[in-house]
Amino acid sequence: MAHLLVVESWVGSMSRLLPRAIREGGHEFTFLTRDLHHYLRSAPEGVAHPLLGARNVITADTNDLDALLPEVERLHSVLGFDGVITSCDYYLPTVARIAGHLGLPGPGPEAVENACRKDATRRVLADAGLPGPRFAVHEEWADLARAAKEIGYPVVAKPVDLCAGMYVRRVDDEAQLAEVFRALADFPVNARGQRRTPAVLLEELLDGPEVSVETVSHGGAVHLVGVTDKSIGGAPAFIETGHMFPAALPLADIDAVEQTALGALKALGLTDGVVAHTEIKLTSAGPRLVEVNPRPAGNRITELVRHVTGIDLAAAFVDVALGREPDLRRADTGLRSAAIGFLVPDRAGTLEALDAGQLTDEPGVLEVQLAEPGKTVKAAGSNNEYLGHVMAGDPDGLGARDRVEGLLAGLRAGLVIR
């Protein structure tokens, strides 16, 4: 039995998948957080949050690294940790620093920090000669406006240090750029109380579909698990509206995006102790990297992978955090593809009706999760405003996406927001 230190977490599906993987691996964990109520508020009524199944729950200021390192060193001397882990992007660099400080397994802190900063990722990959969009990074308005003209509208404007597509926008002219600039200036602290970097990343708008490459790195080798495709909506935002695994792409395209992901991971130095989710655009000029996430995919992509291949990426995440070889053996699950589709609100109001009916009894349905009537709804501007999802599988081929889209169409017909 191993003992993991879990530093913060997302409150979505990974906050449940990660404790499950730790428990099913025969391990235990100590949970470290600066705000326990953040997790208590997210638990369904009458159900204890899975993170509270920890051997210990300890409060400390996880946003103050200088104070945190001696504190975890003291805890380590008493509790004896075998690894340290988090599912929350905002604490991935912190966990890498803790692992390095305590001599525990994990990727290099600089590699993780560069992957978690969109501007640093762009610079590292450009220096390595990997093809990418034209880009610029500035904090001042005059510099930003000038750079946008040099790149050429339309551009994509991004904060360098936020997640879930927050404030990522297509910008067609200077007036729209000014709106994004003002919105980011009015959001100086992220959801975890960390002060943001005021820099804005501008990128050339890339054409083509977007996919992600799921990988596991251990012992200096990067293992390819597969490619997931992605549906994007909500323009001018870039909201993920659905995914399917495996992606319905020609083999040549699959190979091209996999090689692009491998090149990016090697350039960043993420070749050991990492489960990664690398997003790539298949443009008319070839694959172009969007971003590298040094943690398992969100939006239940890990579950799509598990339903099709039997590979549990949450369990692999635990294994590599402990310095152990992950189990990446494929199993015959009876499914050839699995897809998920999200119900994305396009207007604000109060959810009055959303009836699943007999949806869970429909052939091929794997999951249904829907918001309850009475929920306050706002028009989606990122991946944080979903009203629910449907997941389905196809035992015969790559028809899971079409199945999910049909089921979602029925849900939308009964959706009432006032």
Side-chain angles (χ1 to χ4, degrees):
M1 175 186 289
H3 185 193
L4 282 135
L5 175 63
V6 177
V7 181
E8 304 291 3
S9 168
W10 288 125
V11 294
S13 63
M14 192 53 70
S15 71
R16 291 156 174 76
L17 293 173
L18 187 57
R20 184 213 72 198
I22 294 171
R23 182 182 68 253
E24 291 182 356
H27 312 308
E28 60 184 0
F29 68 99
T30 288
F31 182 50
L32 188 65
T33 177
R34 66 187 289 270
D35 181 12
L36 183 58
H37 291 284
H38 181 78
Y39 302 94
L40 298 177
R41 290 191 296 268
S42 74
E45 186 175 350
V47 178
H49 198 289
L51 288 164
L52 300 184
R55 171 178 158 186
N56 310 286
V57 178
I58 299 173
T59 300
D61 189 351
T62 51
N63 287 348
D64 185 346
L65 186 62
D66 290 339
L68 187 62
L69 288 178
E71 175 67 8
V72 295
E73 186 175 359
R74 183 186 67 79
L75 292 172
H76 182 48
S77 68
V78 176
L79 300 174
F81 302 122
D82 300 295
V84 55
I85 197 169
T86 185
S87 65
C88 181
D89 297 56
Y90 297 134
Y91 294 96
L92 291 166
T94 298
V95 160
R97 290 289 172 187
I98 291 172
H101 186 73
L102 299 182
L104 297 175
E110 184 178 359
V112 174
E113 288 163 4
N114 284 337
C116 289
R117 278 282 299 254
K118 294 178 175 65
D119 54 336
T121 299
R122 284 281 174 241
R123 293 187 181 108
V124 169
L125 299 186
D127 289 345
L130 295 177
R134 289 173 292 155
F135 71 95
V137 187
H138 295 290
E139 295 186 12
E140 301 298 328
W141 165 250
D143 296 329
L144 203 62
R146 183 175 61 254
K149 291 178 181 177
E150 292 172 354
I151 293 173
Y153 290 104
V155 296
V156 178
K158 300 179 178 182
V160 299
D161 54 3
L162 289 177
C163 310
M166 292 183 66
Y167 295 98
V168 178
R169 296 291 183 270
R170 171 182 168 138
V171 173
D172 291 314
D173 54 39
E174 192 167 292
Q176 292 179 5
L177 182 61
E179 290 178 11
V180 174
F181 183 76
R182 286 193 296 268
L184 285 171
D186 291 339
F187 194 73
V189 177
N190 68 25
R192 296 310 182 93
Q194 298 168 334
R195 183 155 293 279
R196 292 191 48 254
T197 299
V200 178
L201 172 63
L202 293 181
E203 296 177 355
E204 170 190 8
L205 180 66
L206 299 173
D207 63 353
E210 186 171 330
V211 300
S212 63
V213 182
E214 322 308 334
T215 56
V216 180
S217 300
H218 175 70
V222 181
H223 303 272
L224 293 160
V225 175
V227 178
T228 311
D229 72 14
K230 181 177 300 189
S231 300
I232 302 291
F238 295 83
I239 299 171
E240 296 177 359
T241 60
H243 305 277
M244 186 172 78
F245 182 92
L249 291 173
L251 290 177
D253 286 343
I254 294 288
D255 181 66
V257 296
E258 287 179 341
Q259 293 306 311
T260 299
L262 289 174
L265 292 169
K266 290 175 181 177
L268 286 163
L270 295 171
T271 57
D272 194 18
V274 180
V275 176
H277 170 70
T278 303
E279 297 174 338
I280 293 168
K281 278 269 196 179
L282 265 169
T283 78
S284 55
R288 298 292 184 267
L289 188 125
V290 176
E291 63 185 38
V292 177
N293 299 282
R295 43 80 178 160
N299 272 353
R300 299 193 71 73
I301 291 173
T302 57
E303 293 304 278
L304 300 182
V305 172
R306 184 177 63 82
H307 280 301
V308 175
T309 69
I311 295 172
D312 187 339
L313 289 174
F317 193 33
V318 170
D319 286 334
V320 297
L322 292 169
R324 301 181 180 186
E325 184 175 357
D327 184 359
L328 301 179
R329 292 173 295 177
R330 294 174 182 262
D332 182 0
T333 66
L335 291 180
R336 296 281 302 281
S337 66
I340 187 169
F342 300 98
L343 201 57
V344 182
D346 59 3
R347 61 191 182 277
T350 300
L351 179 62
E352 289 200 358
L354 180 56
D355 185 10
Q358 302 301 309
L359 199 58
T360 54
D361 297 329
E362 291 282 343
V365 171
L366 301 170
E367 288 183 13
V368 178
Q369 182 177 315
L370 301 175
E372 295 289 337
K375 176 182 173 64
T376 299
V377 178
K378 63 178 181 178
S382 70
N383 299 337
N384 292 326
E385 285 89 32
Y386 300 135
L387 292 179
H389 70 258
V390 177
M391 184 187 295
D394 180 5
D396 300 318
L398 299 176
R401 175 185 292 284
D402 290 342
R403 180 67 176 139
V404 164
E405 287 301 322
L407 295 169
L408 279 177
L411 280 176
R412 293 188 190 102
L415 173 64
V416 180
I417 299 174
R418 298 193 190 280

